[in-house]
Amino acid sequence: MGKESASRIQTSILNAAEKKVLVWMAERLPQWVTSDMLTFVGVAGAVICAIGFFLANYNVYWLWLSSLGLVINWFGDSLDGTVARVRNTQRPVYGFFIDHTLDAVTQCIMFVGAGLSPMFRFDVAMLVLAGYLVLSIYTYIGAILKGEFRLTYSSFGPTEFRLVVILINTLYMYTSWADDRFTLFPGYEFGVFDAVGFVIAVLLFVIYFVQFFKDKKVLAKQDPLKK
């Protein structure tokens, strides 16, 4: 079955530099900071991110709290596995279970928070969440069937995604684009940032289908139709 022992496919833009930073940080963390603790720090970061999104309804500069939550989420989510590998304390089955079940929860928390913010329509945020979860599920299927745990798609991974959201938060706070709105059809008002969210969702689904048809050909040859 797919576990943490599956080979990790990381081809993101920032992967090489990020890996060096994470190992440097993991080697300097005190021993009482455990992988489990870091996993829950990642969850706490997601909650902080969602709270910042919601509070932006009252003051747009609460989006700085949302961005801070994303940084905390990156710190916990990226370091939990790195710490285990650096200390040689991996728990392949338990680690896979805890890390990736909580990943799904954190994604839901953050995207619901985004949908409750003034930045995105709720339906747009849920569409992006659907695309993100589809790719996550595809990753777990790949870990089981191919022994490959693909963390990035098209040179783009979770870290890059967080940075894009932080950029969107910043643009929302410091540009007038938030005031630009248009009506697609009666009763459905759309903003510039809704359009950005919609484009991101489309890209996630396009990446999914491209990878799906690519792997479909490979797996069809590995497991041919019985005659």
Side-chain angles (χ1 to χ4, degrees), residues 62-80:
W62 278 109
L63 288 175
W64 280 118
L65 180 65
S66 174
S67 295
L68 174 62
L70 285 165
V71 173
I72 294 172
N73 175 257
W74 168 83
F75 178 84
D77 185 50
S78 300
L79 266 177
D80 55 1

Side-chain angles (χ1 to χ4, degrees), residues 138 146 150 207-221:
Y138 195 89
K146 302 194 299 177
R150 180 171 290 277
I207 291 170
Y208 164 76
F209 281 112
V210 168
Q211 192 66 40
F212 169 79
F213 286 110
K214 179 180 176 181
D215 288 338
K216 179 176 178 291
K217 290 182 180 179
V218 174
L219 293 173
K221 291 179 181 179

Side-chain angles (χ1 to χ4, degrees), residues 78-93:
S78 300
L79 266 177
D80 55 1
T82 304
V83 164
R85 286 186 288 275
V86 166
R87 296 177 181 173
N88 197 27
T89 57
Q90 300 98 317
R91 301 169 69 183
V93 175

Side-chain angles (χ1 to χ4, degrees), residues 42 55 80 85 118 131 143 182 201 223:
L55 291 177
D80 55 1
R85 286 186 288 275
F182 51 93
D223 187 19

Side-chain angles (χ1 to χ4, degrees), residues 12 54 92 130 134 143 210:
S12 66
F54 180 74
V134 161
V210 168

